[in-house]
Amino acid sequence: MRSVMTTENLSLHENSNRTGEIEWPSAQEEFLSVDGNASLFVRYARPAEEARACVVLVHGLGEYSGRYGHVARALVERGFSVVGWDLRGHGRSTGTRGDMTNGEALVEDLAAVCARFRPKTTPLFLFAHSLGGQVALRFLEKNATVCRGAVIASPWLRLAFNPPWWKLLLARLAMHVWPSFIQARDISPERLSRDAAHLAAFPDLNLLHQSISARMYFWALAGGERIFAGAAAVRTPLLLLHGDHDPVTCHRATGEFFERVGSADKTLRIFPGARHETHNELDRGQLLQEVGDWIAARVAPLEKT
């Protein structure tokens, strides 16, 4: 685990469109410096009373923590504090968009965020989506006892589609001469959710990107297979979520991982008709209720001791 070097306060950004259910609830914002050469943008929201647990949100490729305001709000209303951070190379964090010299740095960044923001007496949970799900599972392989539980939504274990042959050829050639070569991804809103109006209402949509470098693509591709190989080592309680109409990541791969994972406490929920972002789907209220119930059920025994 890398040590946290410094933090610096950041005043709230001036965004007039941060309204409604997608607004982060009274969040504090900071930049977290890791290794002295990367700066991670972090949001932190607390309930009015003492927090029952702390949930760290890990977003997917090309997005940013601001898209999880409604998730944070639902969890804060259940009495949990919530931490969201922009992965390096994403959102307001530093780094080249869509590129990563060392993909394992994302796992180490998650460790740094947990070390910095987890209250010492409060159980820690993760809520991770897509590439963030892969990062979270890699983290849990290496840190088996840090988290009380993890909610993993639509993890990138295997893709649900085959990229065009010419893009793969370019990427393979680039790995030999230009590993940072970036190509555009085709992630249209209809592949993410059936609720287009909800997706369009997020603040700061300019922070989205649809880029991925050759080395980052092959790191993520190999990372999914590494997770399958190390599934037995993951013993943290898990709630796995996936839509059966996800055109981005493979829900059958999530089912296969569920069978292999070493956790004794594990649940798999497949949502009929849902696409890639289950937490942004038409029935997201039901999903967030289930997530809150699942976390609360694992906090309650600790509160009684």
Side-chain angles (χ1 to χ4, degrees), residues 10 13 15 18 29-31 39-43 59-68 84-100 106 131 185 203-211 216:
L10 176 70
H13 296 277
N15 289 297
R18 289 188 175 184
E29 300 179 349
E30 296 182 4
F31 278 110
S39 185
L40 307 177
F41 177 71
V42 185
R43 292 177 167 93
H59 67 72
L61 179 64
E63 53 171 356
Y64 56 99
S65 58
R67 298 181 79 245
Y68 289 75
W85 56 292
D86 294 354
L87 276 62
R88 65 170 72 195
H90 292 75
R92 293 184 173 86
S93 294
T94 58
T96 303
R97 299 305 181 244
D99 186 32
M100 183 66 57
L106 297 177
L131 178 65
R185 301 177 300 128
D204 307 324
L205 291 177
N206 60 299
L207 294 178
L208 288 169
H209 73 76
Q210 297 196 14
S211 305
M216 189 166 188

Side-chain angles (χ1 to χ4, degrees), residues 60 188 202 229 285:
S188 53
F202 284 120

Side-chain angles (χ1 to χ4, degrees), residues 9-46:
N9 291 329
L10 176 70
S11 60
L12 291 176
H13 296 277
E14 56 279 3
N15 289 297
S16 59
N17 58 346
R18 289 188 175 184
T19 58
E21 67 163 357
I22 55 179
E23 180 184 8
W24 268 75
S26 303
Q28 296 178 344
E29 300 179 349
E30 296 182 4
F31 278 110
L32 177 66
S33 178
V34 288
D35 274 0
N37 60 9
S39 185
L40 307 177
F41 177 71
V42 185
R43 292 177 167 93
Y44 190 89
R46 298 179 178 88

